[in-house]
Amino acid sequence: ERGDPATPPSRSASLALAASLGYMSLNPFTRQREKREEKLEAKLEELKAAQAAPPLSAPMADPAPASAWTPGREVDYEAEDMNKYLPASAQVEQAAPTWQSRPTNYYEPPSRAWQCVSKLQSGFMIGGALGGAFGFLYGTFAAIKYKHVLYLPIAVLQAGGAFGFFLACGTVIRCEEPPLALHPPAAGEERPR
């Protein structure tokens, strides 16, 4: 008898049928896999039997201690000492940090050197962006024409670096300090430029 046709035969039944028909695998690992599958099926049957059996009366776990938080219980955080959670270095009284600077009542503009560095930097960034955009256009054309993708980043870096360098040089040339007015201009008099 074959049993219910809707239920497929188990793996072990299939293996037994294959062995009885003289089926022999040439793969040396097949028998190892079959043994593992048989062990897993035995464990599965064991677990199914354990689930079907009535549960044993297990001892009850200890109820939660009274100090545990419960939804209805209010916690008074002011009464609890939270310093115990701090590291030892934080429990010592420390002086507040003070700012050490000289008091000034007037605005002191940045020095000429810092102004020149700032202009050099902004000139290089603008030139690099403009050159990079131009290099991207040329590099795309060259990469397609010569069928070599490395033309693109090389063109972007070269054009960006060159444009950035020349624009930085151009802005530094214009780096000058305005003449100091030793006396404030009189009424109707223009400040020298």
Side-chain angles (χ1 to χ4, degrees), residues 53-64:
L56 300 173
S57 59
M60 292 293 291
D62 292 337

Side-chain angles (χ1 to χ4, degrees), residues 103-170:
T104 57
N105 294 332
Y106 63 93
Y107 170 73
E108 183 178 340
S111 68
R112 180 177 178 200
W114 283 116
Q115 288 178 353
C116 289
V117 167
S118 175
K119 285 185 177 184
L120 178 109
Q121 181 183 11
S122 62
F124 184 80
M125 288 191 311
I126 292 171
L130 180 64
F134 179 71
F136 180 78
L137 294 175
Y138 173 73
T140 304
F141 166 74
I144 292 171
K145 181 177 180 183
Y146 299 112
K147 294 182 175 85
H148 195 14
V149 74
L150 285 180
Y151 279 116
L152 181 64
I154 291 171
V156 168
L157 291 175
Q158 281 182 341
F163 274 63
F165 175 75
F166 289 118
L167 203 59
C169 290

Side-chain angles (χ1 to χ4, degrees), residues 21-190:
L21 293 175
Y23 169 74
M24 190 74 150
S25 174
L26 297 176
N27 187 347
F29 299 105
T30 302
R31 186 66 192 139
Q32 292 175 1
R33 180 180 48 83
E34 290 170 353
K35 284 182 182 178
R36 282 193 306 254
E37 288 176 353
E38 288 172 3
K39 286 181 184 177
L40 286 174
E41 283 184 15
K43 282 187 180 181
L44 183 63
E45 293 297 327
E46 195 178 292
L47 287 174
K48 285 182 181 177
Q51 287 178 350
L56 300 173
S57 59
M60 292 293 291
D62 292 337
S67 64
W69 180 81
T70 56
R73 182 172 162 235
E74 290 295 321
V75 178
D76 185 17
Y77 291 108
E78 297 297 326
E80 188 173 352
D81 181 26
M82 297 293 183
N83 286 336
K84 64 183 177 183
Y85 300 111
L86 293 174
S89 62
Q91 293 178 4
V92 178
E93 289 296 324
Q94 299 174 1
T98 57
W99 183 256
Q100 301 293 329
S101 68
R102 58 189 176 137
T104 57
N105 294 332
Y106 63 93
Y107 170 73
E108 183 178 340
S111 68
R112 180 177 178 200
W114 283 116
Q115 288 178 353
C116 289
V117 167
S118 175
K119 285 185 177 184
L120 178 109
Q121 181 183 11
S122 62
F124 184 80
M125 288 191 311
I126 292 171
L130 180 64
F134 179 71
F136 180 78
L137 294 175
Y138 173 73
T140 304
F141 166 74
I144 292 171
K145 181 177 180 183
Y146 299 112
K147 294 182 175 85
H148 195 14
V149 74
L150 285 180
Y151 279 116
L152 181 64
I154 291 171
V156 168
L157 291 175
Q158 281 182 341
F163 274 63
F165 175 75
F166 289 118
L167 203 59
C169 290
T171 54
V172 168
I173 289 172
R174 298 183 52 84
C175 184
E176 57 189 39
E177 191 171 337
L180 293 175
L182 298 176
H183 303 286
E189 198 178 307
E190 213 175 292

